[in-house]
Structure formats: structure tokens, C-alpha cells
Amino acid sequence: MMRIPVDLGKDSYDIIIEKGGISKAGEFFDLKRKVLIVTDSGVPSEYSKAVEAQCSDSVTVILPEGEASKSLNNFEKICHMMLKNNFSREDCVVAVGGGVTGDIAGFAASCYMRGVDFYNIPTTLLSQVDSSVGGKTAVDFCGIKNIVGTFYQPKGVIIDSEVLETLDERQFSCGASEIIKMAAAFDREFFEIIETSCIQDNLEKAIAGALKIKAKVVEEDEKEKGLRKALNFGHTIGHGIESETTLLHGECVAVGMLCMCSPEVRKRIEPVLKREGLATTMAEAVSRGIAEEFDREKLTDVVTEAVMHDKKAEDGIITAVKVDEIGRFRFEKLDKKQISSAIREVLQ
Ligand code: GLY
């Protein structure tokens, strides 16, 4: 068992990395009270049942799988379930699922009676190494991702690498993409480790490496005033590609990273992405059948528009994270023309 503390004063908590940890949730979380378990239809039911088995008084909400579930309707459904079952401020919510489940369950926990305890058991590699830690909770609203939400830290997080055995390969690669992102932007030594060995072969070490970076960043900048924005390496253009294509989040981050780094860094990141099963160009994604045929100029234009309309744009200027040297990042302000040419470059 490995314990990674996240030191945030009165909001501190531990991340427990433990094979089979889901079946021991009661050892790490206080489940001797009413527990609302939130999961989704894509998560094997044995995982939420493993948590239920450790509770004396639990109810479970199963949301439909997918981003569309991050809605105010489902937020209402979760709150309603707590109300109907007489949850008090002393009770708690446990998320068992990927990023969507964790984000909406955490948001409901942060609002119900002005905040009940929240625990997270992420079941995808992507949510294990990123969204389960750091307290960002949200729902999507009016077509805008994560626009309504809170910063609300969990009381504990369990990372059980055994649950990844049921994760499909494409989803696994998406998590690998975020691990590569953290290493490339923040930690040269960690990058060298994942450069020489497959993430799957050293899974817990790779997860722990990413989480140590995430914990440090969140400790320094919980509310994303500065440093935490660097976690968006690959995301600026990645989000634009995500909104205009069928690619998954981590796949878009992979392509997004490649146009935000120096040629030297690109030379090192690209083979690692490939080894982890990620497409490094849109053409490759098309030939694999995970993206539709595209017209380069048209897609460049729509992705550019999507990036420029991102809620983080200010007066037509986007602050992007650039990596010129492995383990170091810098922020750079880019205008529409610069964004467009970076996009055109990766849309080959
Ligand atoms: N996923 C980026 C962050 O937590 O800030």
C-alpha cells in the first residue's frame, strides 16, 4: 500500500494506492453512516457492489455512461436521492467510476446541505491520475463543459489498479496520455522512467509518479491561479479537437501536446505516445477508424474557432502551456493566427 498525502491544511487528505483497495474501502473511508454511492452504467457493477458490501446503510445511483450525464438533471437526481433517504450533513457520497461520475458526484456532495463528505474511487486510468485528485467538481451547462462547479476536496481517494483490468485499451491509452503530459511538463526523471518502460509494466509506479506531481501542484495552487494551469499542457488545442472530432479526451491531449512543444521534446514525446497506443496525427486516427475523414483547412478553422471560444480565452488571446525542454514548462500568449497555424500543423 502506498499513501500520498495531499496537504491542504484542514482540507488535507490521503490518496491510497492499493491493489484490491476497493474491497477495503471501509478501512480507509468512514462508511459507518448513510452512504450514497454514485456509479455509471459502464462501470462493472461488481465495483459499486464491493463498496456497498462495506456499508450498513447505502443507496446507489447509476448514471448512464458518458459526458451527457454531467448535467443539472443528474445533479438533481443525486440530491433528490439524498433527500429522499434523509441524508444529513454527517452522511457521505462515494463516487465509483470515471471522471464524469467523480465530477458530478463531487459537485452534488459539495452542494447538498452546503457540503457532505465526499470520497472518490476512480475506475479509469485517466481519472486515477488526474481528475480524482484536486477537488475540481462540475457539471456541463448550456453546452459548455464544467462551467458550473466548485472546488471541493475529497476526504479520501482510493486508487485500485486491479479495476483497470476491465478497462478497454483505448481508455487505458487516454490515461497514459495524461501521465506522459505530467512527466513531460514537470519531471524529467519521471519522464525518463516512462520513456524506457511501458506504463502497463510499471503501472502503480507510473500512477504514483503522476499523482505525486498532481498533489504537489494542487498543494501550491489549489484554486488554479497560476501553476495549476500548467496541467493544461496539450489541453488548449486538445479541447478544440475534442469538441470537433470523435476522438477521446486523452487522444486529443496527445495530439495537442505535440503542437505545443519544441522539436526536441516532440522527438521524445512522440515515440512514447505511439508506444502507449496513441495516434500522433489526425491522419493516423482516421486510418485507425477512430476519427472521421476530414478536410484539413475546414477542420483547422473549426478547431481554431472552438479554441478561441474556450471559456479561458481573454480578448482573443489564449495562454498556452509550452514545453521546450522535458520537465519544464512555460506559459505563452498566443493569438488566433498562431493558434491556427499550430492546429494546421497537427491536422495532417
Ligand atoms: N485536470 C486539471 C486539474 O485538475 O487542474
Side-chain angles (χ1 to χ4, degrees):
M1 194 262 278
M2 198 185 313
R3 193 183 286 268
I4 299 176
V6 185
D7 186 359
L8 290 166
K10 66 174 181 36
D11 293 326
S12 297
Y13 53 99
D14 285 335
I15 307 164
I16 305 293
I17 304 180
E18 165 96 320
K19 279 201 183 80
I22 199 163
S23 307
K24 298 183 201 159
E27 285 177 29
F28 305 115
F29 302 162
D30 175 8
L31 302 179
K32 290 185 209 72
R33 45 184 163 165
K34 284 187 201 287
V35 179
L36 175 77
I37 299 166
V38 183
T39 188
D40 78 62
S41 58
V43 177
S45 59
E46 69 209 66
Y47 301 157
S48 52
K49 290 206 168 91
V51 180
E52 271 166 32
Q54 297 166 78
C55 304
S56 53
D57 189 359
S58 70
V59 280
T60 300
V61 172
I62 306 173
L63 302 174
E65 183 181 18
E67 181 73 26
S69 274
K70 254 171 83 167
S71 64
L72 281 177
N73 268 351
N74 281 331
F75 165 80
E76 200 179 319
K77 193 169 159 186
I78 296 168
C79 291
H80 196 237
M81 192 66 134
M82 286 193 268
L83 192 60
K84 214 168 68 182
N85 287 283
N86 301 314
F87 271 55
S88 76
R89 194 175 282 146
E90 309 311 317
D91 298 320
C92 70
V93 174
V94 182
V96 181
V100 168
T101 303
D103 280 9
I104 190 168
F107 181 52
S110 76
C111 294
Y112 184 78
M113 297 189 85
R114 299 197 175 87
V116 294
D117 285 353
F118 173 59
Y119 299 109
N120 204 343
I121 308 179
T123 58
T124 62
L125 183 58
L126 187 71
S127 57
Q128 290 190 343
V129 296
D130 191 9
S131 64
S132 62
V133 169
K136 280 188 180 175
T137 83
V139 291
D140 304 337
F141 184 59
C142 290
I144 307 173
K145 272 194 180 187
N146 300 327
I147 195 73
V148 176
T150 53
F151 282 103
Y152 191 70
Q153 298 298 335
K155 288 279 178 234
V157 178
I158 294 174
I159 308 291
D160 179 351
S161 62
E162 278 178 3
V163 303
L164 302 180
E165 284 163 19
T166 51
L167 191 67
D168 77 43
E169 271 178 38
R170 218 177 140 193
Q171 292 287 352
F172 189 91
S173 295
C174 283
S177 179
E178 293 283 355
I179 295 175
I180 296 163
K181 172 205 80 177
M182 307 251 196
F186 291 93
D187 190 332
R188 186 173 53 82
E189 278 176 33
F190 180 42
F191 187 83
E192 282 164 5
I193 293 170
I194 57 170
E195 200 170 29
T196 49
S197 58
C198 225
I199 287 175
Q200 181 76 67
D201 293 347
N202 282 293
L203 191 51
E204 288 204 326
K205 274 201 181 127
I207 293 173
L211 283 172
K212 280 180 194 159
I213 295 169
K214 177 90 195 235
K216 240 168 102 192
V217 169
V218 169
E219 283 170 357
E220 262 186 59
D221 179 22
E222 183 188 359
K223 300 279 167 70
E224 200 171 322
K225 303 271 185 242
L227 177 69
R228 188 165 177 172
K229 292 183 185 166
L231 292 172
N232 288 330
F233 174 44
H235 285 61
T236 309
I237 288 174
H239 277 155
I241 298 174
E242 194 177 349
S243 68
E244 302 301 330
T245 70
T246 51
L247 291 185
L248 303 175
H249 179 74
E251 293 167 339
C252 297
V253 169
V255 175
M257 280 191 273
L258 291 172
C259 57
M260 286 293 144
C261 59
S262 63
E264 295 74 36
V265 168
R266 189 178 174 144
K267 250 188 241 152
R268 291 183 67 187
I269 293 182
E270 205 165 355
V272 182
L273 292 171
K274 280 185 193 293
R275 188 199 66 206
E276 294 300 329
L278 291 146
T280 54
T281 62
M282 279 301 290
E284 192 184 339
V286 173
S287 71
R288 286 185 189 194
I290 55 174
E292 282 160 16
E293 291 283 350
F294 64 95
D295 175 290
R296 191 177 179 194
E297 289 313 311
K298 270 194 205 144
L299 190 57
T300 299
D301 287 349
V302 290
V303 172
T304 303
E305 283 311 315
V307 172
M308 298 316 292
H309 284 111
D310 190 283
K311 60 183 186 288
K312 287 169 188 143
E314 272 171 38
D315 298 330
I317 297 291
I318 299 280
T319 303
V321 186
K322 286 218 161 168
V323 173
D324 301 322
E325 193 186 319
I326 291 292
R328 292 172 75 120
F329 64 84
R330 66 183 169 87
F331 294 109
E332 186 175 300
K333 292 198 182 305
L334 300 173
D335 61 19
K336 189 171 172 177
K337 228 172 123 195
Q338 291 166 308
I339 292 285
S340 173
S341 74
I343 292 169
R344 187 172 292 104
E345 199 195 318
V346 284
L347 293 189
Q348 297 181 33

